[in-house]
Amino acid sequence: MRAFRRSRHQFVAVFNPDEAGTLSILASQVIALLEDRGSHDSDPALLRLLPDAYSDDAEASAEFRRFTADDLASRKAANGRRIVADLATAAGSTSATAVKVDAQAAEAWVRSLTDIRLTIAARLGIEADDDLGSEDPAMRDLYDWLGFVQGSLVDCMDR
Amino acid sequence: MSDVLEQTERIESTMLDSPWVTIVWNDPVNLMNYVSWVFRSYFGFSRAEANVRMLQVHHDGRAVVATGSREEMERHVEAMHDFGLWATLARAGE
C-alpha cells in the first residue's frame, strides 16, 4: 500500500491485490447490510449508519427515519459501489496497482470508508475514544489500516 | 380589532417558531481531519472555525454547528448522516 497522494486533479494510491480485494469485500458487505436491512434496533452497526435524529424523542426519530432512511441507505450503497468499481482492476491484478480517484469519486470514497469503519467499530464494540477492540487483533489492524487510507485521502482533498 | 388579533397571532407564531440547533456528537471512529473537512465543505466554515468546532466535538463531546428552523436542521442532520457523522437536532437551549 502507498497512501493517497495528489497528482494534478486526481488522487492516487497504490494497492496490493489482496488489499484492494479486502477493501472491495468490506464495501460490498456494507452495501448488503444497507440494502437487506431489517429492524434498526437489532443491529448496532445499522443504528450507527442510520442513527436517531432526535436524542430524546423516539417518535420523532422514527418519523425522520421513515422519510430519510431509504434515500440515505441508497446513497451510502452507491458510494460503496464507487469503491468496488474503482478497485476492480487492482483487485484482479497480480501486482501492486495504482488506483486513481478523481475529486467527485473521492467524495464517495471518504463517505464509504467512514461507513465501513463505523460498521467494523460497531462489531468490535469500539464506543469510546480509548476502546481498543483488542479481542480481535486482525480486525483491529484492518480498522486501523482503513483509517490510514481514509486519512491520507482526506489530507489530499483538504488542500 | 382584527389588526390587533392579526398582530398577536403573528407574534405568537414567531415565538412558537423558536430556533432549533444541529448538534454533532463525538464518536471514537471519525478522524479529526475528516470532521474538520466535513464542516468546511458542507457548512462553508473557514479552516480556523472548522477546527474550533471539531475540537469542541472532540473535547466537550458535542458541538452546535447550525441554528435555524426545524426543517432546515433536519436537512443538516440528514447531510451529516450522509457523511457518517453522529448528528441530532433539538430545540435551542435544551
Side-chain angles (χ1 to χ4, degrees):
Chain A
M1 171 81 196
R2 200 198 72 200
F4 277 101
R5 288 181 200 167
R6 183 186 271 274
S7 168
R8 296 189 181 188
H9 301 297
Q10 297 190 112
F11 311 113
V12 185
V14 178
F15 287 87
N16 294 327
D18 57 335
E19 293 168 336
T22 300
L23 179 48
S24 186
I25 287 167
L26 291 170
S28 302
Q29 286 173 346
V30 172
I31 294 167
L33 177 69
L34 288 160
E35 289 185 337
D36 310 332
R37 66 187 195 283
S39 163
H40 283 83
D41 309 337
S42 58
D43 189 330
L46 267 182
L47 205 51
R48 184 57 189 81
L49 292 176
L50 305 166
D52 285 346
Y54 295 82
S55 55
D56 52 2
D57 189 337
E59 205 177 315
S61 289
E63 182 83 350
F64 180 87
R65 194 168 270 130
R66 202 153 42 240
F67 284 110
T68 61
D70 285 349
D71 288 346
L72 261 169
S74 30
R75 289 195 296 269
K76 285 176 181 290
N79 291 334
R81 277 193 285 275
R82 178 80 254 170
I83 287 191
V84 173
D86 287 346
L87 286 174
T89 304
S93 172
T94 50
S95 57
T97 305
V99 174
K100 293 173 186 161
V101 174
D102 66 20
Q104 202 186 345
E107 298 262 347
W109 269 70
V110 289
R111 282 171 173 83
S112 191
L113 282 164
T114 299
D115 290 339
I116 294 167
R117 294 178 60 248
L118 288 170
T119 303
I120 295 176
R123 302 280 182 255
L124 287 173
I126 297 174
E127 288 167 3
D129 283 341
D130 50 3
D131 283 347
L132 294 174
S134 45
E135 283 111 67
D136 189 341
M139 189 59 91
R140 174 71 210 200
D141 285 350
L142 187 55
Y143 173 78
D144 290 339
W145 176 72
L146 292 164
F148 164 74
V149 174
Q150 186 188 11
S152 76
L153 184 51
V154 173
D155 277 341
C156 293
M157 297 166 77
D158 204 21
R159 283 194 194 120
Chain B
M1 186 63 194
S2 71
D3 278 0
V4 174
L5 266 179
E6 235 172 68
Q7 211 177 344
T8 311
E9 272 172 21
R10 196 158 53 232
I11 290 166
E12 268 176 2
S13 86
T14 309
M15 286 175 68
L16 285 172
D17 196 21
S18 71
W20 288 69
V21 290
T22 298
I23 302 162
V24 171
W25 300 81
N26 188 41
D27 72 63
V29 178
N30 275 307
L31 306 169
M32 291 166 86
N33 72 347
Y34 179 66
V35 175
S36 178
W37 172 80
V38 169
F39 287 173
R40 285 176 57 210
S41 67
Y42 178 77
F43 290 111
F45 292 158
S46 67
R47 187 178 289 271
E49 174 80 13
N51 282 336
V52 166
R53 308 265 181 147
M54 177 275 289
L55 288 171
Q56 203 183 345
V57 171
H58 191 65
H59 294 304
D60 302 345
R62 49 178 267 174
V64 170
V65 290
T67 307
S69 71
R70 183 176 185 171
E71 290 68 29
E72 213 182 330
M73 295 308 103
E74 285 197 329
R75 278 200 300 280
H76 289 333
V77 165
E78 185 178 353
M80 290 301 102
H81 294 179
D82 262 320
F83 285 106
L85 267 56
W86 179 22
T88 59
L89 68 154
R91 269 188 203 284
E94 269 179 20

